[in-house]
Amino acid sequence: MAALTACQTTRTPQLTGGSRTEGVVELSYEYAWPDDPAVNFEPGRVAARERCKAWGYLPAELFIGFKSQCLRQNKDDACLRRRVTASYQCTRPSKP
């Protein structure tokens, strides 16, 4: 009997959206089944901080957590490709 093994890859979330008005920065990564990726969040944190700074806010903090969305399913409704999005909240404006 053959065993299925998951590949261990590393993903780095990329800027994918957000709202300047609300001070929210979104970063996402995608993966396909059976991948169980390790995620390097540090570059994403840096990108979120820089985006907030460019918008006139102080640094960002992870605030909602993670949202997972199935992008592709097979005929049995099993998810074959998934997108995970982390939302960061910019803190108060840097100028009064």
Side-chain angles (χ1 to χ4, degrees):
M1 176 190 264
L4 292 176
T5 58
C7 301
Q8 184 71 35
T9 59
T10 302
R11 298 281 188 244
T12 302
Q14 303 295 313
L15 289 168
T16 53
S19 167
R20 181 180 188 161
T21 304
E22 295 175 7
V24 175
V25 178
E26 295 179 338
L27 296 105
S28 303
Y29 65 93
E30 295 181 9
Y31 65 96
W33 184 88
D35 196 8
D36 182 21
V39 183
N40 181 359
F41 286 103
E42 190 54 30
R45 287 187 197 108
V46 171
R49 282 187 219 121
E50 291 301 314
R51 176 66 54 94
C52 288
K53 186 176 171 184
W55 287 347
Y57 291 94
L58 293 177
E61 298 176 11
L62 184 63
F63 86 118
I64 289 179
F66 302 93
K67 176 176 65 176
S68 181
Q69 175 186 17
C70 185
L71 301 175
R72 191 173 76 223
Q73 296 175 310
N74 67 12
K75 64 181 178 162
D76 298 320
D77 291 331
C79 189
L80 300 176
R81 184 151 193 87
R82 185 165 295 283
R83 175 183 295 137
V84 178
T85 301
S87 296
Y88 288 80
Q89 176 70 58
C90 302
T91 56
R92 61 182 161 49
S94 59
K95 298 174 184 145

